[in-house]
Every structure is written in C-alpha cells, then in structure tokens.
C-alpha cells in the first residue's frame, strides 16, 4: 500500500471510527462476527522477458497469434523433414525447378525454393523466414542471416532427439539437449547484431564446385600458427615481386576475413585463378580432391614464403606418407637430413617418419628417415594370414595409427640386405621420429583400381584429444638407465605428446558427385562451414561425422 493511501486511512479512522467496521460474517452458524483483517500488500508478479531470434520474428509472434501458431506448426513439419536421415538429399525448387541439395522451406506457407527464389518469395508475400532443409535452422531474409530463436530451437531439438536411432521415434528426455541456464545467460550476455564481424568467422561462396578449396582454406584460417603469421604481416603483398603468388592471394583472404565487417560469403576469385595458373590440372570447374589441393597449397605457400633456398620445392611436394610406405629397398637407401627452411609451412606441418628394417638372417637394422607434411592412413585391413579379416575396415583413428606403426614382414623378393649382400626376409616398422605442431591426418576413403574408383563409407571414430606417444620411436625404445647426472631419465623422457582437435573436413555423397563441408573450432566453440553458410555445431555433431581430413594441434610448443 502506498504512503498516500496510508495517510488517507489514518485520517478517516480518526474522524469516523464506525466506518472501519466490516460486516458480520456467520461462521458455522454462530452469530460471532469475524475479526477485521487488514489486506496485505501483494508484490507484483514480474514475468521473465521473452527472447526472440530477431526483432522481425518477435514482431510476428507478438502481434499475430494465429500466424505464430501456424508458423510453429509449419516449423515442426519442416524440421521433421530436414532432420529425417532417410529422406532423399536431392530436392527441387518450386519456382525454377532446379534440382538442388539445399532448399528453404517457408515458415508461413508450404513452399520450398532455392535461395534466390526464396528471397523473391519473401519480397512478394512478406514471408520473411525460411527453414534450411539441411539442418532445420531459420534464416531471416530481413536480417540476411540465420537467427537463433529459443522457441523454435526447442522445437528443432525435440524433432532431432525424437528422430535419433535411424528415424525410429522414441520418447526421450530433452534435458541433455536443452541449454543449461548458465549457457542461456552466456548467450544473452554475448549476443549482438553481428557477432562474427571481422573475427574470421565467415564462409566462402561456391564459385562452381569449389567446395574442396573452401574447406582447405577454412582449416588454414582457423589454424592459429598460419593465422598469426599472415595477420602479423608475415607476407607483404606490396613488397612481393613474384608473379602469380599464392601467398599474396592467401594474404588477401586473411585481410578480408579479419578486417572487413562483412558477414556474407566471400569469393576468393584471385586465389582460385592463381591456383589455375600455378597448376593446370586445377583449371576449370570440375570437382577436385581436398587432400590433393591441400598438398598443392602447402607446397605453393612453402615456395613463396621459403626463408632458405636449400629446401627445395620437390621435397615439400613429396613429403607425404606414400613415400614412406613404398618398398623397403627404396626407403632404406634414403636418409633425409633436417631441412633448414624456416617458412611458416615447415614450422607448422613438418614432421619426420623413421623406418627400421631388420634382416632376419644377420639382424642388421637399416634406418631411414622420411619427411612428411601429413599422415595418410589406410582404412582397409590388408591381412595376408587372416583371410576373414582381409578387406574389413578399421573402426577408429587409434586403430589406424596402430596398424600404421605395427611390424610388417617382408618377403625375400621385397628386401635386399646390404650386409648379407643378397635378398633376405626382413621385418619393417614405421614410427614417428618428429611430430609437427599441427598434425594433419588423411583417412584414405577413396580407393582406385583398374576396375574403377570407390569410396569407403562409414564412421571412423576419432577423439577430441589425441595422445601420439604410443606411435613414436621413443615409445618403442627401452627406457634408459639412470646415472648420477640424470637420476630419472625415464620420467624426463616420458612427457606425452598431446594433441587437440582443431578442424575436420568431411566428404558427403558419391566419389564423383559429392560435396565437402568442414568443422572448425573458433573461440572455444565448434562451427560448421558449408560454403557460405556458417552455423553453430556441437562436439557430438563433430565426432559423429565421417571425417576425411583431421587437423590436430599440439598443446605445448617446444
């Protein structure tokens, strides 16, 4: 009760006391009157604020209840279609009839269009919201961006969790899928109109089957070593005299991503045309292999940023694990010395493999070292003894690494012993001699033979945190004996080589008509990059992908 009301009642009480008496109330049939009660002040009930994805969808939900109800029903149906794992991936635009892999389902009417026609539909009808048919996220054509609306997101999560388990609907709790209260507070405190401006969180336009290039560029943009090099003017375009310089084109991409406030997709035209000029096999708009383009790009960046002329381009281009997995005769006769190139590519990706071939007759050990820029791991099990295991596919990255470093038996015709001066049976083992700061792993999903090419489908599990210690040469050696100078040599040499997942490249679809997307860690969160579309992802989504390329970064730089 306010102070004014209290003063008025006091004055009334002083002048006319009988007016304060309440009417008598019969309780239980007796004539006793109820005692007078002074009404208590009730605090107003403050309703928590309602948050919307943007002002436009908030206006629709607030002022038109019928439209809001209908939109929620449409969204529930649209997300059920978008998240159905068994539906066909190819769709058709209702206006232009083009066959597409992504359409936008109108939130206010049953219409599906490509992006361009969806914008026209929004202008013609005023239906300003579309649902991405790939993931169920809502796009606002007013904001020209994806929006996060708590109400719609709850519907999407309900459809996603209900559809888990191969499309079989189950009654499941949503407590694990919903955001925790502290996460909601964090989102509210850090949400702005354009949170990704000039932070590197941006997509690439698809300029005609260029998704293979986009995913490789995203992996380099979110590589802190490469990013810091270019943002610190490690390569100066104005001072570069090279013609068709890939490093200048890469510097342009970093400048655009970290200085421009634009949030729409960027078309790296200069980098694409420079790639064509440097490698004729890349010219044109046919699909390319992302791993081959990564090797090409690293080789070009090494060439244009090399700090020493002694490290040749051929060494960088041949630094793949295929050279380490050839015949033992070739690998045992080459002993690569450490390169003195200090370019950013060698400082980030350079590693070394050790090959030990032991003669079964004289026990002579021939050791060779091979430089590598990545590890290419076979997925198909090739067991000569166990016929039932031959042709099977490994199940995890750790299993791939274990098979890569296991002992292999060589026949008489596969090895010539220098000490015995003739062909002998031998054993061969590969280990990692030197680990790079950024470890790139290729899971060899594509198989090529005389009969044709095929792709190995299926999920190969990989961890968020990887310990490479068991696959190093140090782990294969016996622990050194203690001495007066070093009483604990084992403890000193037992420091593990820990890596954290940095980015993932995924190939979807068939071998000749697929599509590349990537995931990268940015500011402690994971994001999915699908050409120009950038959406938030979870660790669960990342770990469930069918990875093709994996990028790990070391926890400590020595």
């Amino acid at each position: 009760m306010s102070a004014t009301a209290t003063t008025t009642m006091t004055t009334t009480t002083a002048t006319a006391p009988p007016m304060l008496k309440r009417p008598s109330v019969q309780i239980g049939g007796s004539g006793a009157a109820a005692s007078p009660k002074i009404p208590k002040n009730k605090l107003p009930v403050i309703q928590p604020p309602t948050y919307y994805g943007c002002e436009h969808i908030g206006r629709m939900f607030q002022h038109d209840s019928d439209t809001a109800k209908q939109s929620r029903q449409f969204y529930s149906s649209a997300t059920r279609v978008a998240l159905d794992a068994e539906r066909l991936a190819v769709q058709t635009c209702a206006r232009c009839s083009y066959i597409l892999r992504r359409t936008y389902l109108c939130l206010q009417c049953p219409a599906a269009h490509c992006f361009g026609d969806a914008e026209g539909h929004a202008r013609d009808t005023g239906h300003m919201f579309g649902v991405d048919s790939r993931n169920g996220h809502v796009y606002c054509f007013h904001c020209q961006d994806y929006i996060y609306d708590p109400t719609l997101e709850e519907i999407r999560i309900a459809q996603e969790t209900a559809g888990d388990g191969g499309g079989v609907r189950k009654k499941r709790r949503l407590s694990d899928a919903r955001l925790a209260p502290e996460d909601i507070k964090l989102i509210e405190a850090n949400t702005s109109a354009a949170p990704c401006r000039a932070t590197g969180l941006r997509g690439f336009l698809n300029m005609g089957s260029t998704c293979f290039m986009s995913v490789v560029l995203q992996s380099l943009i979110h590589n802190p070593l490469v990013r810091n090099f270019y943002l610190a003017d490690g390569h100066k375009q104005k001072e570069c005299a090279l013609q068709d310089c890939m490093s200048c084109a890469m510097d342009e991409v970093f400048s655009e991503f970290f200085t421009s406030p634009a949030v729409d997709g960027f078309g790296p035209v200069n980098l694409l045309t420079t790639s064509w000029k440097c490698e004729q096999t890349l010219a044109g708009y046919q699909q390319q292999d992302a791993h081959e383009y990564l090797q090409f790009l690293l080789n070009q960046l090494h060439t244009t940023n090399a700090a020493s002329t002694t490290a040749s381009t051929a060494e960088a281009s041949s630094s793949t694990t295929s050279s380490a997995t050839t015949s033992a005769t070739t690998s045992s006769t080459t002993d690569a010395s450490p390169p003195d190139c200090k370019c950013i590519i060698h400082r980030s990706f350079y590693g070394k493999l050790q090959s030990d071939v032991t003669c079964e007759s004289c026990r002579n050990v021939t050791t060779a070292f091979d430089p590598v820029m990545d590890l290419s791991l076979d997925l198909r099990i090739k067991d000569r003894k166990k016929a039932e295991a031959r042709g099977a596919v490994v199940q995890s990255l750790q299993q791939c690494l274990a098979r890569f470093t296991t002992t292999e038996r060589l026949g008489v015709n596969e090895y010539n012993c220098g000490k015995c001066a003739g062909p002998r049976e031998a054993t061969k083992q590969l280990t990692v001699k030197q680990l790079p700061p950024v470890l790139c792993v290729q899971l060899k999903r594509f198989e090529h033979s005389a009969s044709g090419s095929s792709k190995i489908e299926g999920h190969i599990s990989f961890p968020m945190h990887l310990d490479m210690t068991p696959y190093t040469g140090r782990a294969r050696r016996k622990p050194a004996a203690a001495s007066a100078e070093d009483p604990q040599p084992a403890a000193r040499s037992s420091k593990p080589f820990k890596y954290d997942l940095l980015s993932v490249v995924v190939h979807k679809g068939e071998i000749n008509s697929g599509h590349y997307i990537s995931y990268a860690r940015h500011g402690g969160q994971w994001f999915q990059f699908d050409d120009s579309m950038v959406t938030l992802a979870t660790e669960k989504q990342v770990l469930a992908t069918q990875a093709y390329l994996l990028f790990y970064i070391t926890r400590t730089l020595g």
Side-chain angles (χ1 to χ4, degrees):
M1 186 179 292
S2 63
T4 305
T6 304
T7 304
T8 304
M9 188 177 72
T10 304
T11 305
T12 305
T13 304
T15 55
M19 295 181 63
L20 288 178
K21 292 182 179 180
R22 293 179 179 271
S24 60
V25 179
Q26 298 295 330
I27 301 178
S30 63
S35 60
K37 294 183 180 180
I38 300 176
K40 297 181 180 179
N41 293 333
K42 292 185 178 180
L43 296 176
V45 178
I46 301 176
Q47 297 293 336
T50 303
Y51 297 96
Y52 298 98
C54 67
E55 57 179 331
H56 310 106
I57 199 169
R59 193 179 302 120
M60 181 185 72
F61 283 164
Q62 287 176 329
H63 300 297
D64 194 341
S65 58
D66 293 336
T67 303
K69 181 179 179 180
Q70 185 181 27
S71 299
R72 292 188 181 95
Q73 293 175 349
F74 272 120
Y75 185 70
S76 179
S77 301
T79 50
R80 185 168 61 251
V81 173
L83 299 174
D84 186 1
E86 297 181 354
R87 72 182 177 91
L88 294 177
V90 179
Q91 302 160 32
T92 305
C93 175
R95 182 172 298 183
C96 63
S97 299
Y98 284 171
I99 297 177
L100 307 168
R101 290 185 176 274
R102 173 194 279 123
T103 56
Y104 289 84
L105 290 76
C106 181
L107 191 62
Q108 295 159 269
C109 72
H113 300 91
C114 63
F115 184 79
D117 289 336
E119 286 186 310
H121 176 75
R123 289 191 300 268
D124 297 340
T125 62
H127 298 172
M128 305 309 299
F129 308 99
V131 181
D132 194 325
S133 63
R134 286 190 174 185
N135 46 42
H137 295 298
V138 180
Y139 188 89
C140 176
F141 291 98
H142 264 306
C143 301
Q144 290 292 303
D145 199 0
Y146 285 91
I147 61 175
Y148 175 88
D149 186 85
T151 303
L152 298 182
E153 183 66 12
E154 187 171 345
I155 297 175
R156 192 186 71 84
I157 292 175
Q159 295 291 356
E160 186 175 22
T161 54
D164 284 347
V168 180
R169 297 192 174 277
K170 300 177 181 179
K171 186 176 181 181
R172 305 183 62 175
R173 295 180 305 162
L174 299 181
S175 57
D176 295 335
R178 287 178 178 151
L179 293 175
E182 55 269 19
D183 294 333
I184 297 177
K185 293 180 180 178
L186 183 64
I187 293 175
E188 295 171 0
N190 295 277
T191 299
S192 59
C196 54
R197 289 186 176 179
T199 61
L201 199 59
R202 190 177 174 186
F204 286 100
L205 295 175
N206 194 321
M207 298 177 290
S209 298
T210 57
C211 55
F212 69 93
M213 180 179 67
S214 300
V215 294
V216 172
L217 293 179
Q218 291 290 1
S219 67
L220 295 181
I221 287 172
H222 294 89
N223 183 324
L225 302 181
V226 179
R227 178 195 64 206
N228 294 346
F229 171 80
Y230 280 99
L231 295 184
D233 286 336
H235 184 88
K236 298 180 175 63
Q237 295 187 54
K238 297 181 179 179
E239 300 178 7
C240 182
L242 297 176
Q243 187 178 6
D244 300 329
C245 177
M246 287 292 294
S247 194
C248 289
M250 180 63 71
D251 187 64
E252 177 187 345
V253 172
F254 274 94
S255 299
E256 181 70 25
F257 269 57
F258 288 94
T259 60
S260 172
V263 295
D264 55 338
F266 173 67
V269 178
N270 185 26
L271 192 141
L272 178 63
T273 55
T274 305
S275 299
W276 291 354
K277 295 175 182 178
C278 295
E279 182 58 56
Q280 293 184 356
T281 57
L282 296 175
Y285 294 99
Q286 64 272 19
Q287 183 63 273
Q288 303 288 343
D289 183 76
H291 179 245
E292 293 179 358
Y293 185 78
L294 172 66
Q295 291 181 311
F296 158 78
L297 185 57
L298 294 183
N299 182 34
Q300 288 293 322
L301 296 181
H302 153 73
T303 303
T304 53
N305 288 297
S308 172
T309 58
T310 57
S312 63
T313 304
E315 178 190 42
S317 62
S318 63
S319 297
T320 61
T321 53
S322 59
S323 64
T325 56
T326 54
S327 65
T329 303
T330 302
S331 62
S332 63
T333 57
T334 57
D335 189 1
S337 59
D340 56 355
C341 179
K342 302 300 180 184
C343 74
I344 183 59
I345 301 304
H346 274 83
R347 285 188 284 135
S348 300
F349 294 94
Y350 175 80
K352 191 186 298 183
L353 290 180
Q354 177 176 330
S355 174
D356 295 317
V357 181
T358 305
C359 177
E360 291 292 305
S361 299
C362 64
R363 308 307 298 174
N364 179 55
V365 179
T366 304
T367 301
F369 302 97
D370 294 309
V372 293
M373 289 292 182
D374 55 59
L375 296 179
S376 292
L377 304 179
D378 286 317
L379 300 183
R380 191 77 67 185
I381 297 176
K382 301 175 182 178
D383 198 321
R384 300 178 180 178
K385 295 183 178 180
K386 299 179 180 179
E388 66 276 5
R390 192 179 304 127
V393 178
V394 296
Q395 301 299 318
S396 66
L397 174 62
Q398 292 90 332
Q399 188 179 356
C400 289
L401 290 168
R403 293 188 62 84
F404 183 74
T405 56
T406 193
T407 301
E408 176 187 1
R409 298 194 65 85
L410 302 178
V412 177
N413 299 326
E414 296 179 277
Y415 175 67
N416 287 315
C417 178
K419 189 174 181 180
C420 297
R424 293 290 187 274
E425 291 186 350
T427 58
K428 175 185 175 182
Q429 184 177 39
L430 284 176
T431 54
V432 182
K433 174 66 175 178
Q434 177 182 336
L435 283 164
V438 178
L439 176 64
C440 175
V441 178
Q442 179 206 18
L443 300 179
K444 299 170 70 174
R445 291 187 175 273
F446 303 123
E447 296 179 314
H448 306 280
S449 62
S451 59
S453 300
S454 61
K455 177 186 175 184
I456 300 177
E457 299 284 357
H459 176 65
I460 308 298
S461 64
F462 54 93
M464 277 287 172
H465 311 289
L466 178 64
D467 185 4
M468 286 294 294
T469 308
Y471 318 109
T472 61
R474 190 188 69 184
R476 307 289 179 175
R477 295 194 302 265
K478 296 180 180 180
S483 62
E485 293 78 9
D486 193 359
Q488 293 181 335
R492 193 178 305 279
S493 62
S494 61
K495 182 180 179 181
F497 296 104
K498 299 286 188 178
Y499 283 80
D500 297 318
L501 188 62
L502 188 63
S503 58
V504 181
V505 172
V506 179
H507 181 269
K508 292 185 173 182
E510 301 295 330
I511 185 171
N512 295 321
S513 61
H515 178 67
Y516 284 102
I517 65 172
S518 65
Y519 296 84
R521 195 176 63 206
H522 179 90
Q525 291 181 309
W526 283 93
F527 290 87
Q528 175 185 298
F529 298 89
D530 188 350
D531 290 334
S532 60
M533 301 298 177
V534 182
T535 54
L536 189 66
T538 63
E539 285 191 4
K540 180 181 177 181
Q541 289 176 308
V542 175
L543 295 177
T545 59
Q546 295 186 18
Y548 177 51
L549 297 178
L550 298 168
F551 294 86
Y552 285 89
I553 187 168
T554 182
R555 292 185 184 177
T556 57
L557 290 174

